[in-house]
């Protein structure tokens, strides 16, 4: 028999299939991926290091949607804001992947390279090494929490009796559409304002 022109199985197809399963059901299993691809489970293990390896493929695929060039924007705080917005768009498209990724250490070289760029941005701006990771994690907390919120129902509070919670009812009645987006803008502005207050020794006094 002639060999197929394209491989039946590769890491890209495994990652694509895993992400589709996660988008549909919030999780995946290696046998499920194998069935979806029409191969034996053992064949998947030839390409990835089990479930942990597949999670890193998920991370890589979502990471590919983040605009790394945002970190080239000047000044540094504008770069962080642009990165956060692109980061949010990438994860808002796949919110069900977030719980899987946040409990697994980042190992994928492509993803680590993006964190390297973010770290270099902050160090070049004059931030102390001890402040770099807290700044990045603070931004990630806003982004990932907001991505989950964007996937949540618009009305998260079901007030059946406004007389029992009148203040909450009043606040809900005054809340316009796009609650999650408004909350993201508020949280991002707050984090950036606080980060700008972190003492730095940059050449421009930033």
């Amino acid at each position: 028999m002639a060999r197929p022109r394209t491989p039946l199985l590769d890491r890209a197809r495994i990652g694509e299939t895993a992400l589709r399963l996660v988008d549909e059901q919030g999780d995946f299993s290696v046998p499920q991926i194998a069935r979806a691809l029409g191969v034996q489970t053992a064949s998947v293990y030839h390409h990835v290091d089990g479930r942990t390896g597949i999670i890193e493929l998920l991370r890589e695929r979502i990471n590919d949607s983040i605009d790394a060039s945002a970190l080239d924007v000047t000044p540094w705080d504008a770069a962080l804001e642009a990165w956060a917005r692109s980061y949010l768009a990438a994860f808002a498209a796949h919110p069900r992947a977030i719980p899987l990724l946040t409990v697994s250490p980042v190992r994928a070289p492509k993803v680590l390279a993006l964190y390297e760029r973010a770290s270099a941005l902050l160090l070049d701006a004059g931030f102390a090494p001890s402040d770099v990771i807290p700044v990045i994690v603070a931004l990630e907390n806003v982004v990932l929490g907001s991505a989950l919120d964007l996937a949540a129902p618009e009305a998260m509070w079901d007030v059946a009796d406004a007389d029992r919670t009148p203040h909450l009812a009043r606040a809900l009645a005054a809340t316009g559409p796009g609650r999650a987006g408004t909350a993201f803008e508020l949280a991002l502005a707050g984090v950036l304002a606080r980060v700008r207050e972190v003492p730095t020794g940059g050449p421009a006094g930033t």
Side-chain angles (χ1 to χ4, degrees):
M1 292 180 62
R3 294 176 62 86
R5 292 186 178 181
T6 57
L8 180 62
L9 192 62
D10 57 29
R11 289 171 58 84
R13 292 191 66 203
I14 293 170
E16 178 183 354
T17 302
L19 187 56
R20 176 173 56 79
L21 289 171
V22 170
D23 286 343
E24 292 173 355
Q25 61 191 32
D27 205 347
F28 70 89
S29 70
V30 179
Q32 281 180 320
I33 292 173
R35 284 195 299 272
L37 291 171
V39 300
Q40 297 296 317
T41 300
S43 299
V44 177
Y45 285 109
H46 287 314
H47 295 270
V48 294
D49 183 18
R51 182 176 175 86
T52 299
I54 295 173
I55 287 175
E56 286 308 286
L57 289 180
L58 294 175
R59 201 188 305 276
E60 285 184 353
R61 291 191 66 83
I62 298 175
N63 180 79
D64 286 343
S65 300
I66 300 174
D67 182 8
S69 69
L71 293 170
D72 297 326
V73 174
T74 56
W76 65 266
D77 53 345
L80 284 183
E81 180 177 354
W83 184 45
R85 293 186 184 283
S86 181
Y87 202 147
L88 174 65
F91 275 91
H94 305 285
R96 303 185 81 175
I98 295 174
L100 294 174
L101 301 182
T102 54
V103 296
S104 175
V106 180
R107 297 186 178 93
K110 291 171 62 176
V111 182
L112 290 173
L114 188 60
Y115 283 102
E116 170 69 10
R117 292 185 63 175
S119 299
L121 170 75
L122 293 170
L123 290 170
D124 289 346
F127 282 81
S130 59
D131 290 326
V132 169
I133 297 303
V135 169
I136 291 174
V137 172
L139 275 176
E140 285 193 321
N141 287 345
V142 169
V143 166
L144 298 179
S146 296
L148 289 171
D149 195 23
L150 285 166
E154 182 70 22
M156 282 298 296
W157 297 265
D158 187 2
V159 177
D161 185 355
D163 290 336
R164 300 190 64 174
T165 54
H167 299 92
L168 175 60
R170 181 183 178 189
L172 289 173
T175 301
R179 168 192 59 78
T182 300
F184 168 71
E185 295 296 337
L186 177 62
L188 179 61
V191 168
L192 289 174
R194 178 65 185 89
V195 170
R196 292 185 187 104
E197 296 174 358
V198 176
T200 65
T206 55

